[in-house]
Amino acid sequence: MPIRVNNNTVSDEEIAAEEERITQHLATHVPSEQLEAMKEVVKKQATESLINRTLLREAVETEGIGASGEELDERMEMVKSKFESPEAYSQQLADLGLTQKDLRSEMETSLRMEKLLQKHVGSIEEPTEAEVESFYKENAERFKQPEMLRASHILIKTEPQESEPEKSARRLEAAKLLGEIQKGADFGRLTSQHSACPSKESGGDLGYFERGRMVKPFEDAAFSLSAGEVSDLVETQFGYHIVKVTDRQQESTASFETARDDISTFLQDQKREQAVKAYTDKLHAEATIEHTE
């Protein structure tokens, strides 16, 4: 249902597009079943976001806030600099269905809104040392680092449809590799020659991970090893693994000194968000907002 915001209309199509944008962003952090249950929340968030943006655009026009060509040129160059090459930048625009003119127009709108908020919200004071220290003490769990492992592996892959004799042959292949490693063969060399995992390109290195990130049989085997140790064969739904732990970091808590700057930035951002919300709430209160047929 379209929404009338003073003299402007937010269409169903705009709301649907904003819902899709929010959903795609959440999909990288939220399980699919949870995302499905969040549909109404996402729709409400999309609607509120578009209403706020419309109100801010109106305020920009009412107050005559502009952006110079030089400012826009600088903003466009900043965007381009984030890409590896001009071709990658052009490809991204094409993927998004945007032209240079479209992007410049969006940049101009964003820049004018930033100036509007700066005018009404102003500079946000940095949090005091007492505020930072209080946050650290009251949110101790946030600063705990779980036990972490760094491990490499060799994967001899199996497929669900394989027969038992075929799986036995894969297991025998993995067992032979394990025997070579136990006799002193180079783990990285055997990985690059035999592993079916893309990590073979970096010697099987999987980087650091905590409990709950890997499938359970793999995790159980890895966390039972000390740094430098190699596992027996580990079977998972992916096949047979040989795991080597290369580093182990015990659970720890970040010190106040280490966390101070991040906390200060977080609290300042939080204060700014609250100030922006207060301003947009004021625009809401002064506006006429109607759901129309």
Side-chain angles (χ1 to χ4, degrees):
M1 183 181 294
I3 300 169
R4 190 77 176 166
V5 181
N6 292 329
N7 296 317
N8 292 285
T9 299
V10 178
S11 69
D12 288 340
E13 290 75 19
E14 289 174 305
I15 294 172
E18 182 67 6
E19 281 184 69
E20 178 62 22
R21 186 192 68 77
I22 294 172
T23 300
Q24 287 183 357
H25 173 72
L26 289 174
T28 60
H29 309 285
V30 179
S32 56
E33 61 274 11
Q34 189 176 338
L35 197 58
E36 183 67 23
M38 291 173 64
K39 274 190 172 181
E40 287 304 313
V41 175
V42 169
K43 184 169 185 175
K44 183 178 180 181
Q45 184 181 341
T47 303
E48 285 300 309
S49 175
L50 288 170
I51 289 173
N52 286 342
R53 192 169 176 82
T54 302
L55 289 170
L56 290 172
R57 277 204 308 263
E58 288 184 350
V60 160
E61 296 298 336
T62 300
E63 298 188 28
I65 294 175
S68 69
E70 291 78 8
E71 289 173 318
L72 281 171
D73 288 341
E74 184 178 336
R75 185 60 61 91
M76 291 290 285
E77 286 303 315
M78 191 185 303
V79 172
K80 290 179 184 177
S81 69
K82 294 179 180 178
F83 291 85
E84 295 179 357
S85 65
E87 291 75 23
Y89 166 72
S90 298
Q91 185 59 53
Q92 181 66 22
L93 285 184
D95 291 344
L96 294 172
L98 295 173
T99 64
Q100 283 265 21
K101 185 177 179 181
D102 294 332
L103 181 61
R104 190 177 179 88
S105 177
E106 287 191 12
M107 290 296 103
E108 180 179 10
T109 299
S110 295
L111 189 53
R112 292 172 72 191
M113 286 183 184
E114 286 173 22
K115 288 186 172 186
L116 174 76
L117 292 174
Q118 183 63 31
K119 175 182 175 181
H120 289 276
V121 172
S123 299
I124 304 299
E125 290 184 5
E126 291 188 10
T128 64
E129 184 76 359
E131 287 175 321
V132 175
E133 192 168 346
S134 175
F135 184 90
Y136 179 80
K137 289 177 179 177
E138 292 170 9
N139 297 273
E141 287 298 317
R142 287 189 178 213
F143 305 102
K144 285 187 176 179
Q145 303 292 325
E147 181 183 19
M148 302 280 282
L149 292 185
R150 184 171 188 172
S152 300
H153 79 141
I154 297 172
L155 170 64
I156 302 302
K157 192 175 182 181
T158 58
E159 301 293 344
Q161 67 273 18
E162 284 184 341
S163 65
E164 284 305 316
E166 288 173 321
K167 285 186 178 180
S168 295
R170 298 281 185 271
R171 182 181 176 82
L172 180 59
E173 181 184 354
K176 286 180 178 178
L177 291 174
L178 178 59
E180 289 184 47
I181 291 167
Q182 290 170 338
K183 290 176 183 176
D186 183 73
F187 192 95
R189 178 178 62 80
L190 293 181
T191 301
S192 63
Q193 292 175 350
H194 299 280
S195 182
C197 179
S199 65
K200 67 185 289 184
E201 301 301 329
S202 55
D205 183 28
L206 298 170
Y208 286 94
F209 56 90
E210 61 193 79
R211 290 184 185 275
R213 295 290 299 277
M214 301 294 183
V215 292
K216 196 164 189 325
F218 188 101
E219 176 186 291
D220 289 345
F223 277 88
S224 71
L225 301 171
S226 300
E229 286 189 324
V230 176
S231 71
D232 290 328
L233 294 188
V234 180
E235 184 177 3
T236 72
Q237 66 262 43
F238 304 109
Y240 297 102
H241 308 256
I242 303 170
V243 185
K244 181 178 181 179
V245 170
T246 54
D247 190 24
R248 187 161 194 151
Q249 298 181 352
Q250 298 303 316
E251 182 180 343
S252 63
T253 301
S255 68
F256 175 67
E257 290 300 320
T258 302
R260 175 192 274 115
D261 289 346
D262 286 341
I263 295 172
S264 181
T265 299
F266 172 79
L267 291 178
Q268 193 167 15
D269 288 346
Q270 195 175 58
K271 287 182 178 182
R272 179 172 176 77
E273 286 175 11
Q274 290 167 351
V276 170
K277 185 177 185 305
Y279 175 62
T280 55
D281 284 349
K282 177 177 177 292
L283 293 180
H284 267 257
E286 296 170 350
T288 301
I289 301 173
E290 302 173 310
H291 292 265
T292 63
E293 293 296 337

